Amino acid sequence: MRLARVLAPSGSQYLARLTPEDRVIPIVQEATGPGRDPLREALADGLDLRAAPGLTDDFPLQDARLLAPVRAPEKILAIGLNYADHARETGVEPPKSPVTFVKTNNSIAGPGDPIRYSKDDSVQVDYEVELAVVIGRTTRRVDVDHALDSVLGYTVCNDVSARDAQFSDGQWVRGKSFDSFCPLGPWIITGDEIGDVGRLKIQCRVNGKTLQDSSTSEMIFGVAEIISYLSRVMTLQPGDVIATGTPSGVGFARTPPVYLLDGDVVECEVAGIGVLGNRVVVE
Ligand code: MG
């Protein structure tokens, strides 16, 4: 099943199911106000999103605008250097345990939203396609064998990174958390439909040219291991997002380097989920 947040032609925003025929079935009308997140709140209320009745008449997806499927999670966790091919291209030893950082909620952007930055703040803005996990229930100290039971589903993340800020700061939060540097979407595919999450083709195209082309089989730490590892010390909450790392082909490791410039179109794709497209606006 596909779960999405949409802006309807009426101007209302909904958490919704999408049918195979690309029709939108609204299930929760979005509450307004800072910090509100219909997905997180519905999950916290124990709503079974797969069985929830429709709220109003369905309508065609082509008449709606897709929004980031998660708007205000408690946390966005991200894993660095988690693909063997990416560790090789950056010349670092594969880590012995997951390298963990956070992206802040201000960085969330939806499908089709601009990736914005000012040249005064960075001249090395890079793309990173990632498989993102959306947690479905409160999870603490789950073992690897049961970790996937905590997953609601999967979406695509572009872990946009200002390399100059990332590397000069000595830690990564600022360079990874500019406004709009965490595009998410286009929707969430529930865990029961993804198949083997360790064997998904993962790609990034910039202006139609494929610059990342790999498989989640290159992950050093798999999804279940990451969830188990993080949940040992951090209680994972419904709606939390975990970006699981990027494969090789990122811009700063290329010769010559490739950075995102005004007007560039970035398309991040994970097979079985969909394509997340965003245009770059340099201010
Ligand atoms: Mg990343």
Side-chain angles (χ1 to χ4, degrees):
M1 174 182 297
R2 289 181 296 168
L3 296 169
R5 282 182 58 234
V6 300
L7 172 62
S10 64
S12 296
Q13 295 185 180
Y14 297 104
L15 177 63
R17 286 195 299 269
L18 306 180
T19 71
E21 296 76 30
D22 275 348
R23 293 192 68 83
V24 177
I25 303 175
I27 49 178
V28 176
Q29 182 154 6
E30 185 151 310
T32 56
R36 301 297 297 267
D37 185 320
L39 180 72
R40 173 167 57 83
E41 292 173 20
L43 292 169
D45 289 345
L47 186 63
D48 182 348
L49 299 171
R50 291 169 211 171
L55 191 65
T56 180
D57 291 345
D58 62 326
F59 52 87
L61 179 57
Q62 65 185 24
D63 292 348
R65 189 177 134 213
L66 287 162
L67 307 171
V70 181
R71 182 170 79 173
E74 183 187 87
K75 51 195 173 291
I76 308 168
L77 300 165
I79 307 299
L81 301 166
N82 193 36
Y83 277 67
D85 55 1
H86 179 53
R88 278 195 297 276
E89 76 175 347
T90 53
V92 299
E93 285 289 311
K96 304 253 186 305
S97 56
V99 175
T100 308
F101 61 96
V102 297
K103 288 173 83 76
T104 48
N105 282 354
N106 62 291
S107 64
I108 292 175
D113 286 347
I115 295 167
R116 292 180 182 274
Y117 70 92
S118 164
K119 280 181 292 209
D120 295 338
D121 301 317
S122 177
V123 292
Q124 296 182 350
V125 174
D126 205 347
Y127 50 85
E128 293 190 353
V129 61
E130 309 205 1
L131 171 71
V133 177
V134 181
I135 295 294
R137 64 188 193 197
T138 303
T139 301
R140 187 161 187 275
R141 290 187 173 275
V142 69
D143 61 36
V144 171
D145 288 345
H146 297 94
L148 295 185
D149 296 343
S150 296
V151 175
L152 170 69
Y154 300 88
T155 190
V156 182
C157 172
N158 186 352
D159 177 18
V160 182
S161 306
R163 299 302 184 192
D164 31 16
Q166 179 188 353
F167 297 138
S168 67
D169 281 9
Q171 50 79 26
W172 299 355
V173 175
R174 187 174 68 100
K176 297 278 192 178
S177 297
F178 286 25
D179 289 344
S180 79
F181 274 23
C182 189
L184 292 170
W187 40 64
I188 296 167
I189 298 283
T190 50
D192 54 329
E193 290 198 3
I194 196 79
D196 183 351
V197 78
R199 292 184 183 281
L200 301 175
K201 191 172 173 62
I202 182 166
Q203 291 184 311
C204 180
R205 295 179 291 278
V206 178
N207 302 329
K209 185 175 176 191
T210 302
L211 297 181
Q212 292 185 278
D213 188 5
S214 186
S215 166
T216 57
S217 62
E218 286 280 326
M219 280 189 184
I220 297 167
F221 305 102
V223 170
E225 281 179 278
I226 291 168
I227 292 169
S228 176
Y229 177 81
L230 294 172
S231 79
R232 273 190 238 164
V233 296
M234 290 181 227
T235 302
L236 302 176
Q237 297 291 356
D240 280 358
V241 175
I242 306 171
T244 57
T246 202
S248 65
V250 296
F252 86 91
R254 305 184 78 90
T255 310
V258 174
Y259 293 115
L260 296 176
L261 303 174
D262 192 45
D264 284 352
V265 174
V266 190
E267 292 173 292
C268 292
E269 179 167 13
V270 178
I273 303 176
V275 180
L276 170 65
N278 300 88
R279 184 180 294 271
V280 178
V281 175
V282 180
E283 294 160 329

